[in-house]
Amino acid sequence: MSAWAGAPRTADTAGWNAEGRAGVAAASCLTRGGDGPVTADFIAARAVAVGTAGVRPGEVRHGRGAAGTGPRGISGGPLPGLADLLAAASRIGPYVVHTPLLPGPRTTASGTELLLKAEHLQLGGSFKMRGAANAVLALGADRVVTGSSGNHGIALARIARTLGIRLTVVLAAGAAPAKAAAIRAFGAETVQVQGGVAEREDRARSLAAERGAVLVPSSDHPLVVAGQGTVGLEVLADAPGTETVYVPTGGGGLLAGLCLAAGDRPVRVVGVEPALTPRYARSLAAGHPVRLPACATVADGLRGQSPGAVPYPIIRDRVDDLIAVGDAEILAATALLHRLGVDAEPSGAVALAGALRAGRRERAVAIVSGGNTPARLHHHTHTGAHPKEPTP
């Protein structure tokens, strides 16, 4: 019975139909580093379609309409494609887990059937492990610098310790002290700067140049986007009847990855931004990337001030909607997840807040992107791992 046909939606495969099981088998051989066959549908070439924008909390812009720009980003560099996502899935298999789909809150009033992609259960506490692992494994660097709000730094620090890489993480002034402590607990160096995300990224670039290190941005890199896109591969394999995927949006790496995974499938991809920093909605409305002032949204992992050169054209050419949600909605969604036993941080609850705001009658998946709560960060800091985390 299909997960979308009223079956109990559990964390195992009991609710999946035959198509879903076949897709999971294909995805599993990739995410575990295997070399088994992949279905033709899974690797079919994807077309790109259009973009949209939204500005105010709760406002939604619908439809696809902008023309694509081809396979290069706004900085002139190459953009990743489906083949890069599949390569990433194979590459990172030994270093990540294939996270489950969990039953979401019942929204009988609107008729929504909602599943939760449990990236809060990922190694390192968030989806960021995927992009971080893909980048460092592909680049083969022995010294890395990055800028991070916390979760990307934690993910990089975890895999850097595993691979023997020297890592420096640059943090903005508003970074959570507990996340900085967790990064150091994994053996990385932290450097804090005054200012917001823009100043953090400037310092990370200069520090990488000074030290002869490789810069691995938190979202604005083809390898990072490809790694994050493996979330989408898993969602669409595990729940092939999905009509809409709600994606938390900060730097845009995860949203761009979902756009690539969705390709020309009949699935809506909806980015959800904090209302205090809707950098993609404003940029798409303007027709070019814009930079917003630093902000202090409760979703600390989504405080990016401007779109990345790599994610922006991918999102522009494929995203269906962008929704802005206020901090009160984010906190309410976080509390709801906690009542369901999903230990998400506020940034990880943003997609759910967007799904609840949209209120559409649909079969949807909301990505719970992170679970680095105070309790989990305390465990990172004192043990270097979460008690539920497997060791690669």
Side-chain angles (χ1 to χ4, degrees):
M1 181 181 292
S2 169
W4 297 125
R9 293 171 294 174
T10 62
D12 59 23
T13 60
W16 299 338
N17 60 16
E19 182 184 358
R21 292 174 189 273
V24 172
S28 295
C29 82
L30 288 169
T31 56
R32 298 298 174 190
D35 55 1
V38 181
T39 62
D41 177 66
F42 202 68
I43 61 172
R46 305 300 203 244
V48 293
V50 271
T52 58
V55 179
R56 295 186 296 274
E59 185 177 2
V60 180
R61 293 284 187 262
H62 300 285
R64 303 177 186 175
T69 59
R72 303 191 78 79
I74 57 178
S75 64
L79 295 178
L82 180 64
D84 299 293
L85 270 64
L86 296 174
S90 179
R91 184 180 293 122
I92 68 179
Y95 302 92
V96 302
V97 296
H98 185 130
T99 54
L101 289 171
L102 305 176
R106 301 293 179 178
T107 55
T108 53
S110 66
T112 302
E113 297 179 64
L114 188 63
L115 298 176
L116 306 172
K117 177 60 169 170
E119 284 297 293
H120 67 294
L121 299 178
Q122 188 55 258
L123 302 185
S126 79
F127 77 97
K128 293 287 191 177
M129 179 58 72
R130 297 171 182 269
N134 192 46
V136 298
L137 290 167
L139 294 170
D142 59 5
R143 187 160 192 168
V144 170
V145 171
T146 191
S148 172
S149 297
N151 284 352
H152 176 67
I154 291 171
L156 265 179
R158 192 182 196 279
I159 194 165
R161 184 181 67 176
T162 299
L163 299 177
I165 296 170
R166 296 176 62 188
L167 173 66
T168 300
V169 180
V170 182
L171 302 164
K179 289 187 175 181
I183 291 167
R184 291 190 292 270
F186 280 112
E189 174 194 13
T190 60
V191 174
Q192 196 149 23
V193 298
Q194 296 301 311
V197 173
E199 289 78 11
R200 180 194 79 193
E201 294 304 301
D202 288 343
R203 180 60 179 141
R205 281 190 291 270
S206 64
L207 195 60
E210 292 168 11
R211 298 184 175 182
V214 171
L215 180 67
V216 177
S218 60
S219 59
D220 195 14
H221 193 288
L223 288 167
V224 174
V225 169
Q228 317 306 30
T230 62
V231 175
L233 296 182
E234 291 180 10
V235 167
L236 296 175
D238 294 0
T242 299
E243 296 169 320
T244 300
V245 183
Y246 291 91
V247 187
T249 304
L254 181 58
L255 180 57
L258 262 291
C259 286
L260 292 173
D264 60 358
R265 287 174 179 259
V267 59
R268 297 172 64 248
V269 179
V270 178
V272 187
E273 298 183 289
L276 290 176
T277 179
R279 85 293 297 157
Y280 276 93
R282 295 279 177 84
S283 296
L284 294 181
H288 57 82
V290 299
R291 177 169 165 173
L292 302 183
C295 79
T297 174
V298 67
D300 67 321
L302 306 179
R303 291 177 180 171
Q305 294 172 246
S306 61
V310 174
Y312 176 75
I314 298 171
I315 292 168
R316 178 199 60 207
D317 294 343
R318 176 57 177 87
V319 74
D320 291 279
D321 299 328
L322 286 164
I323 300 176
V325 292
D327 276 8
E329 293 172 283
I330 296 169
L331 290 173
T334 305
L336 176 56
L337 286 172
H338 290 177
R339 291 197 295 274
L340 292 172
V342 177
D343 198 16
E345 60 186 291
S347 296
V350 165
L352 174 59
L356 296 174
R357 162 63 71 173
R360 291 171 56 95
R361 185 178 294 273
E362 62 186 351
R363 294 179 294 189
V365 174
I367 298 175
V368 182
S369 56
N372 278 321
T373 59
R376 187 163 190 177
L377 290 171
H378 177 82
H379 209 94
H380 282 322
T381 302
H382 290 85
T383 69
H386 187 267
K388 296 181 181 178
E389 288 183 357
T391 301

